Amino acid sequence: MGKHVREKASKKMWKSFKKVILLLVFLLIWELLPAFGIINKTFFAPPSEVFVALVRLLISGELWIHTSISLKRAFTGFSIAAITMIPLGFLMGWYNDFEEIADGLVQTLRQTSSLSLFPVFILFLGIGEISKIAVIFWGAQWPILLNTISGVRSVDPLLIKSARSMGSSAVSLFGKVVLPSSLPSIITGVRLSATHSIIVLVAAEMIGAKSGLGYSVINWEYNFMIPEMYAAIVTLAVLGLITNYALVWLEKTTTKWKEDVMIT
Amino acid sequence: MGSAVHDNIKIAIRDVTKLYSNNSHSLIALDAINLEIMDGEFFCLLGPSGCGKSTLLNIMAGFEKPTDGKVLIEGGEIAAPNPRYVTVFQDYGIFPWRTVQENVEFGLEIKGIEVNERKKIAEVFIKMVGLVGFEMRHPIELSGGMKQRVSLARALAVNPEIIFMDEPFGAVDALTRMKLQEELVKIWREENKTIVFVTHDIDEAIYLGDRIAVMSSMPGRIKSLLDVPMNRPRLRTENDFLRIKEKIYLEFFEYADKK
């Protein structure tokens, strides 16, 4: 029996190892290429040096200051998008006329690149926080809006019919059928928006900010602090990973009732 | 015993006509239907697909309005779905995000019945349809027959006077279907409901119905109305059963010949 347990444990270890094996190879190559002089070390700081820089920035508190500023911007823009676009999506999904009238405008605005609008936001809102939050909101709103609309649209009419057959009022129809039925689609929208928020955030900070992780990447590059630049990039990657995994987890737990939840 | 005397008219269908029209064509789905369904009766609407039987059921249940004529339930005209008359659908219409228990409690929630009472009532009907042990499962984990049991329990839980059933066993396999028919008859006799049952399966109609309205299509009409004067539980191999079956077959073939 002890043997059996051991076998099981080693199987589990192998399974988790499989997931990171390529990542480790990648880090190894990254470490070795500059060490053997294949790539200029000045431009391509090896992970060991990046790690040292990362620790230094953590201890000095500098990294946390930039990270918290970035998070605040991304989270604010994203939250405003979620708070406004989920209800709007419900309205547009439920009332056909509303959607038909709004569709042309929505499609046009959606295809207008968020970053191309950043100068416009700066013109109107100044170079402070508000313009950056506005541009993040702009980018983050579309996946939430469109996924909410399609979620509401795809509610099975039979479920609405059977709820009505049981005497559901409009309010309970919404709360007990439309909302739970469209939830998986909304959460997918939220996940896409969150990822998108970080992308827009970085670009906006690179163009017009004096703080934040996006600014740090550009700033440390200007000042030739290459390991620090990579440290900021790694931090952004980690933030993206955490956000995605947290939302995938949320997606999975709220849609357990669905067939074949295949989310990556 | 099964075909006891029902003398109160529960549902009266008066000259119900339904027209579907678009720009160029109009289709007479139902042509001046007149029917009376008695209180406590098990009434079957039998016909080929497209004969308007589901349309007639939808009108009775308040989902659709007739183009002409009216449906009276206990003398009152029906205008919208009413929880006293619940519908069970072929594709179940149960909520995939709710467990079996939560599905059965749905109508009770709508009625505003408090949690403990809800649980108690749901328990009774989950037991009645034979789903004890599956309370916490989600529909995705259930077979078609079990899903239809959930749907039936959910309908029964709100204690309706009438249950409209739109080909409820159409999506389950033949053996499960027979089992479900048997249980439905048993429940109907215990619970004293009026059931209006739409089907295209002749055996099913004879096994279940006190009376059968045989419908024809284009335009949808009641072709004939037959009594099933057989005791319950019925045997599908009985002479009476086969005799009625033959009679209905003839109706359809005669109809086919005329075409």
Side-chain angles (χ1 to χ4, degrees):
Chain A
M1 223 177 91
K3 195 183 163 197
H4 191 72
V5 171
R6 231 177 303 134
E7 259 174 30
K8 235 183 173 176
S10 71
K11 231 179 196 173
K12 219 174 169 185
M13 266 172 69
W14 166 240
K15 223 179 163 186
S16 11
F17 182 63
K18 240 182 359 190
K19 284 186 185 165
V20 292
I21 188 165
L22 266 182
L23 186 64
L24 293 174
V25 171
F26 170 75
L27 287 175
L28 189 69
I29 294 172
W30 181 5
E31 182 71 40
L32 291 179
L33 286 180
F36 287 122
I38 300 167
I39 288 182
N40 191 339
K41 202 175 167 178
T42 338
F43 303 133
F44 203 65
S48 50
E49 279 181 30
V50 174
F51 183 73
V52 172
L54 197 62
V55 172
R56 203 169 51 234
L57 288 167
L58 272 173
I59 292 168
S60 74
E62 210 173 338
L63 190 68
W64 172 243
I65 290 171
H66 289 297
T67 307
S68 64
I69 288 170
S70 286
L71 280 177
K72 213 160 113 191
R73 286 172 183 152
F75 188 75
T76 311
F78 163 79
S79 302
I80 297 171
I83 291 165
T84 53
M85 288 305 132
I86 293 173
L88 186 64
F90 274 117
L91 285 174
M92 288 178 67
W94 196 248
Y95 297 106
N96 265 330
D97 286 345
F98 191 8
E99 208 262 348
E100 272 165 31
I101 292 167
D103 190 57
L105 180 65
V106 167
Q107 293 304 335
T108 311
L109 292 181
R110 179 167 84 98
Q111 298 304 336
T112 312
S113 151
S114 327
L115 291 167
S116 76
L117 287 172
F118 191 40
V120 181
F121 286 126
I122 292 178
L123 280 176
F124 279 92
L125 304 168
I127 47 165
E129 289 304 296
I130 298 175
S131 59
K132 283 177 269 295
I133 290 167
V135 75
I136 292 163
F137 160 77
W138 188 267
Q141 66 181 331
W142 306 114
I144 298 183
L145 178 66
L146 296 171
N147 274 276
T148 307
I149 293 174
S150 88
V152 174
R153 279 287 160 80
S154 54
V155 176
D156 184 351
L158 182 62
L159 297 182
I160 291 174
K161 206 173 167 185
S162 40
R164 284 181 62 209
S165 157
M166 304 255 168
S168 272
S169 64
V171 176
S172 65
L173 200 62
F174 178 81
K176 289 181 191 294
V177 182
V178 178
L179 188 67
S181 173
S182 44
L183 197 62
S185 175
I186 296 172
I187 291 175
T188 304
V190 165
R191 186 163 66 88
L192 293 171
S193 278
T195 320
H196 206 70
S197 300
I198 292 178
I199 296 170
V200 178
L201 165 87
V202 173
E205 284 179 342
M206 283 179 166
I207 301 167
K210 286 277 167 269
S211 58
L213 286 169
Y215 162 78
S216 302
V217 173
I218 286 280
N219 185 46
W220 283 325
E221 191 244 353
Y222 284 156
N223 292 303
F224 230 72
M225 296 161 76
I226 301 304
E228 281 79 2
M229 179 194 81
Y230 281 109
I233 294 171
V234 168
T235 310
L236 280 166
V238 171
L239 281 183
L241 272 176
I242 293 171
T243 311
N244 191 54
Y245 275 120
L247 287 163
V248 165
W249 174 83
L250 181 71
E251 209 165 7
K252 273 188 178 155
T253 43
T254 51
T255 58
K256 254 191 262 173
W257 51 270
K258 274 202 135 182
E259 201 169 14
D260 300 328
V261 195
M262 292 289 287
I263 303 158
T264 43
Chain B
M1 196 196 143
S3 42
V5 188
H6 313 288
D7 24 282
N8 296 323
I9 295 171
K10 189 76 180 173
I11 310 170
I13 298 163
R14 305 275 185 238
D15 294 313
V16 164
T17 298
K18 181 73 181 179
L19 269 131
Y20 289 112
S21 43
N22 57 21
N23 300 330
S24 49
H25 300 280
S26 75
L27 174 84
I28 307 170
L30 295 170
D31 185 20
I33 305 282
N34 279 290
L35 266 181
E36 282 171 352
I37 296 166
M38 303 301 162
D39 195 7
E41 188 174 26
F42 202 129
F43 192 90
C44 288
L45 283 168
L46 173 69
S49 19
C51 72
K53 57 192 191 298
S54 289
T55 306
L56 185 57
L57 192 88
N58 275 326
I59 291 172
M60 283 191 245
F63 289 117
E64 282 184 56
K65 289 200 185 335
T67 314
D68 211 351
K70 58 189 170 186
V71 172
L72 303 168
I73 297 185
E74 287 182 333
E77 203 162 339
I78 180 121
N82 182 323
R84 282 158 62 204
Y85 326 125
V86 172
T87 310
V88 172
F89 304 94
Q90 174 170 358
D91 294 317
Y92 325 119
I94 55 178
F95 305 109
W97 55 87
R98 287 177 166 243
T99 61
V100 168
Q101 173 94 26
E102 290 164 345
N103 262 291
V104 177
E105 286 182 22
F106 182 85
L108 304 168
E109 277 175 42
I110 301 287
K111 272 187 161 181
I113 290 166
E114 61 98 26
V115 189
N116 289 328
E117 186 65 17
R118 247 166 31 206
K119 271 208 174 112
K120 251 186 250 165
I121 298 173
E123 239 167 62
V124 172
F125 292 100
I126 285 171
K127 194 171 172 212
M128 187 177 287
V129 300
L131 283 178
V132 175
F134 292 92
E135 291 87 345
M136 303 320 282
R137 300 290 182 92
H138 281 94
I140 195 75
E141 307 169 80
L142 306 178
S143 67
M146 288 162 95
K147 284 181 197 162
Q148 199 53 280
R149 285 165 200 268
V150 175
S151 176
L152 184 60
R154 184 181 62 178
L156 289 165
V158 294
N159 194 22
E161 297 163 30
I162 306 171
I163 305 178
F164 294 110
M165 305 187 86
D166 192 359
E167 301 195 36
F169 307 145
V172 300
D173 68 90
L175 291 171
T176 309
R177 189 184 311 152
M178 282 195 254
K179 182 99 178 92
L180 287 169
Q181 290 163 358
E182 203 176 291
E183 287 171 21
L184 179 62
V185 168
K186 210 172 136 243
I187 290 168
W188 165 72
R189 293 177 75 189
E190 284 166 12
E191 295 285 301
N192 243 324
K193 309 285 182 200
T194 305
I195 296 184
V196 182
F197 193 104
V198 163
T199 181
H200 57 243
D201 180 338
I202 297 174
D203 282 45
E204 184 165 71
I206 303 169
Y207 185 80
L208 295 174
D210 287 332
R211 281 191 302 157
I212 302 170
V214 181
M215 292 184 71
S216 61
S217 51
M218 316 254 186
R221 284 191 180 129
I222 307 284
K223 197 169 164 52
S224 63
L225 199 56
L226 1 138
D227 279 306
V228 185
M230 287 172 68
N231 291 334
R232 296 176 191 266
R234 293 169 178 167
L235 279 173
R236 290 162 218 269
T237 47
E238 251 175 284
N239 279 336
D240 281 350
F241 196 101
L242 298 173
R243 195 177 45 76
I244 296 169
K245 193 169 168 178
E246 191 184 4
K247 200 170 157 191
I248 298 174
Y249 264 123
L250 285 174
E251 300 254 7
F252 283 120
F253 283 122
E254 183 195 44
Y255 165 72
D257 284 347
K258 269 190 191 161
K259 272 196 107 177

